[in-house]
Amino acid sequence: MSLGSVPLKYKVTIDREQCMHCMRCINNCSYGVFHKEDDRIIIDSRKCTACHHCISMCPRDAISLKERPVDYRSHPLWTAEAREDIINQARSGKIILAGMGNAKPYPVIFDRLVLDACQVTNPSIDPLREPMELRTYLGKKPSRLEIEKKDNGDIELLTKLTPNLKLETPIMIGHMSYGAISLNAQLSLAKAVEKTGTFMGTGEGGLHKAIYPYQKNMIVQVASGRFGVDINYLERGAAIEIKIGQGAKPGIGGHLPGEKVCQDVSCTRMIPLGSDAISPAPHHDIYSIEDLAQLVRSLKEATEWKKPVFVKIAAVHNAAAIAAGIARSSADAVVIDGFRGGSGATPKVFRDNVGIPIEAAVASVDQKLKDQGIRNKISVIASGGIRNSADIAKSIALGADAVYIGTGALIAMGCRVCGQCYRGMCPWGIATQRPDLVERLDPEVESEHVANLIRAWTLELSELMGAAGINSIESLRSNRSRLRGYMLDEGTLDVLQVKPVGA
């Protein structure tokens, strides 16, 4: 006896009076929802992922989509999602994969933090008429400067400064590897960061030759699988990032399905064609802070101590203690990736149940570094679920120096967050390696969209700073007096070191 089918997740319909039979829906759907029989377009709604590509391409707005047209008997515990997961695993006996970030309805702490504003006695600043300094330097800062005054009056700096990354905006694009996303998607992001004076991460998939012209804006990543890592790769990056953990899947390694390992990805990653690229959960040469410090120094030695080295960890309960250890190594920045961080392929159970919010993690890391008097020794980068300029301002006020964005940049290129990245069939040409789909994404056009997003968020950040009476990003960093908590419990407020509204 079969388990039978489950109710439709999405119901796709066509307004037959509006439809002009142009067949664009058939040609544009990579999942095979539409096909033609005689002179009629037939719909298979079970294949729909709500990617919206058919809707966006229909010239007559004839296509409609409805979620959960037929549902289960309602139950507060046994939700439709819980029942369908059980049915799928009863059929397959396998781990359920998922894309994008945490999909559980946990409260978003960012939405319960409000920014304070200045009035009268402490006037606000007009960013249209007064200069606003958003330039950000990532890396170690000296605790004091030693200078020498020459006989001719010149001043010479005696303190040796370590290499820092100079950003024109505190917004960077996070690590999304070639393989997880297409080469055209990576090119779009690379062109965008070059236009806006910031940086992007390569992910753990090596560096394709087409990205070489943008290497001055690249942060290359060394993950546990060491895919694509050689001296040529390390020397091309403006900085190097060691990936220890990822917000979407703390405690486990990476996974690129073999279906997405085409010839080009195979060459770039230095792995066999069509093979799954599975990174180990740990780095097999790192089992302590001392081991990590040795890898940091090895990478610096290999690149003649000319490049900053970052360490990326997932936001978990002991992130603050780990970050303090990282600060005492030779590392220049620590990346904290929260549990809403996106991913191309993650076990659903990890994505939705492991890790902690970026807001709490950044605040606790910043406070721990301050308490130990080592905040200047390392920069802090917040990542995972940054949705808008207000989230950026709040992240910096909680203690971050800069932020990584990921899903937001993909949405700017057309992504509809359907969560099917791991299948390699993305109709927008983003999370796929199929040549016919990749061609749909024009790097010249989409790079401008991503650049526009960064510019817009930077302008809004200037406005928010001005309203808070702040004209420098350095003055916003860790300035929790500019935040107030609304409907947050006392324990959370204590972790964030933020006062409640009205206080």
Side-chain angles (χ1 to χ4, degrees), residues 485-501:
Y486 180 59
M487 296 178 67
L488 288 172
D489 61 83
E490 188 175 347
T492 303
L493 288 171
D494 185 55
V495 170
L496 299 175
Q497 295 285 291
V498 170
K499 293 180 180 179
V501 289

Side-chain angles (χ1 to χ4, degrees), residues 325-375:
I326 292 169
R328 288 185 167 87
S329 72
S330 299
D332 300 278
V334 58
V335 181
I336 317 293
D337 199 24
F339 78 153
R340 286 193 173 87
S343 172
T346 300
K348 186 168 175 282
V349 68
F350 272 82
R351 185 198 68 176
D352 294 345
N353 297 284
V354 185
I356 67 172
I358 188 59
E359 304 94 322
V362 165
S364 61
V365 165
D366 179 64
Q367 194 59 49
K368 174 73 78 174
L369 296 174
K370 283 181 175 178
D371 291 345
Q372 296 188 8
I374 53 175
R375 184 61 183 86

